[in-house]
Amino acid sequence: MRGRVHRDEHVITVECETATEFLDLLDPRHGYFRPASMTLGAIFRGVKHDKYPLRPTAFRPHSRLLYRQRSVAAPLPTHVTQCAAEVQTLRSFFEIVAREGIRLAEDSPTLRSSLQWWDEILAQDTLISLRSPEVWPPPNLWSLLAIAQHYGVPTRALDWTRSALVAAYFASAGSTTRQCNIAVWAYTHYADRLERAIRRFEWQPDPIHNLVIFSAPEADNPNLMAQRGMFMLYRQTLYETAQTFDVIDYDKLFVQDYAAVSAHATFYKITVPARESSMIRAMLAATGVTAATLFPGLAGAAREFREEQRLADLKIRIPSNGASEELQAELMRIAV
């Protein structure tokens, strides 16, 4: 057991050995994050390598953004140029969607004028026309950012889900030959709700945080609805000076943003060897979590067909409820 559960500042890592142990820990009925033990709820994010940081695609090296009609590598050198590239990338995506007659739930003259305003202001690189600091992105663009991110456009929105098993699926999807660990990140909302409770007890107004967690309309997005999607977003204050843009991972930003309760801003990372990926997907399929259910439509059905072909030789093994009891006990001891 030694070393399998350990804490490094604000991140608690749990190292599972098998698919059974991994899924038992994430089981919404009996696992560590079940509602009875985590009454404040949790959100989850699956990653294909446990070394991947909580960093949005618009901040990652090798991502491509549009800037002054050119494709450029992210991240850009200053706050203003980085945000300008994000605006131009988002506006280009929106214009394609609008041109093709695809309906967006929150499309309006206000949204369109906001995109144009931000594009024109940030294109100057100096913000000389701003009378006071502005915050990018504004709330009326969050839903558009969520849709763009969900369909592969680089943005500063980071995908999460309310379902631990959905996160496990996305962590395990892909090759099973990698010599690494896959992971599911979890955050329980405890720090932000604790801070609000303390401030109300002390009659203090709620602060405006730089990092927010939000949902987007699901009525016109069946994938987002099926995947129970949520998003984490960095709201960046822009000044007239050309500040250097320093990339910061969202878990570290969260701790900075909630300094008053930073000791409780805990993120969890549940890992398992990538060789267990096929067994994880077979077990998830037995519970109804498949490509077809997460991607409604013919594309998802075809994806599930290909996955079933690859899993045909595996024996489906339903996870037992007691596989992670020792791990959960150790996790409870360290998390307190």
Side-chain angles (χ1 to χ4, degrees), residues 44-46 146 149-150 157-161 230-232:
F44 306 90
R45 173 173 171 79
Q149 173 63 33
H150 189 71
L158 195 64
D159 304 82
W160 292 75
T161 173
M230 299 285 291
F231 298 89
M232 191 176 281

Side-chain angles (χ1 to χ4, degrees), residues 252-271:
K252 297 175 183 176
L253 179 61
F254 208 103
V255 173
Q256 293 181 12
D257 212 24
Y258 289 80
V261 291
S262 59
H264 301 281
T266 302
F267 286 77
Y268 299 82
K269 184 164 62 172
I270 318 301
T271 75

Side-chain angles (χ1 to χ4, degrees), residues 29-174:
R29 302 165 300 164
H30 310 286
Y32 181 75
F33 300 98
R34 65 190 183 276
S37 61
M38 291 293 174
T39 57
L40 296 177
I43 57 174
F44 306 90
R45 173 173 171 79
V47 292
K48 298 178 182 179
H49 198 302
D50 66 334
K51 302 303 181 185
Y52 288 173
L54 293 179
R55 184 178 303 172
T57 52
F59 297 175
R60 298 175 195 169
H62 312 304
S63 287
R64 308 296 297 185
L65 298 171
L66 291 179
Y67 181 64
R68 293 183 172 178
Q69 309 305 316
R70 295 185 296 111
S71 174
V72 299
L76 277 74
T78 69
H79 286 289
V80 175
T81 55
Q82 172 67 26
C83 293
E86 293 178 30
V87 172
Q88 292 170 30
T89 301
L90 184 65
R91 189 178 184 186
S92 177
F93 168 74
F94 174 79
E95 288 175 349
I96 293 171
V97 169
R99 185 171 66 236
E100 296 303 316
I102 301 171
R103 187 177 74 161
L104 295 177
E106 297 189 1
D107 188 5
S108 67
T110 301
L111 183 144
R112 294 175 183 234
S113 62
S114 180
L115 274 174
Q116 180 178 352
W117 184 87
W118 276 98
D119 196 359
E120 292 173 353
I121 291 296
L122 293 177
Q124 301 176 38
D125 288 350
T126 59
L127 298 181
I128 57 175
S129 62
L130 293 182
R131 296 181 180 179
S132 61
E134 291 286 343
V135 179
W136 166 258
N140 67 327
L141 295 181
W142 291 2
S143 292
L144 178 59
L145 273 167
I147 293 171
Q149 173 63 33
H150 189 71
Y151 284 97
V153 178
T155 76
R156 64 174 53 209
L158 195 64
D159 304 82
W160 292 75
T161 173
R162 295 184 293 273
S163 169
L165 297 186
V166 169
Y169 173 87
F170 283 107
S172 64

Side-chain angles (χ1 to χ4, degrees), residues 215-285:
S215 58
E218 299 175 348
D220 295 313
N221 192 334
N223 287 1
L224 186 63
M225 181 172 60
Q227 296 166 20
R228 303 182 67 190
M230 299 285 291
F231 298 89
M232 191 176 281
L233 181 70
Y234 173 28
R235 303 180 66 214
Q236 187 167 3
T237 302
L238 299 174
Y239 302 91
E240 294 183 3
T241 56
Q243 298 169 293
T244 300
F245 181 70
D246 297 318
V247 173
I248 182 170
D249 299 333
Y250 276 9
D251 58 308
K252 297 175 183 176
L253 179 61
F254 208 103
V255 173
Q256 293 181 12
D257 212 24
Y258 289 80
V261 291
S262 59
H264 301 281
T266 302
F267 286 77
Y268 299 82
K269 184 164 62 172
I270 318 301
T271 75
V272 71
R275 64 175 179 270
E276 295 292 306
S277 294
S278 293
M279 184 60 73
I280 289 170
R281 290 200 303 279
M283 291 177 174
L284 289 173

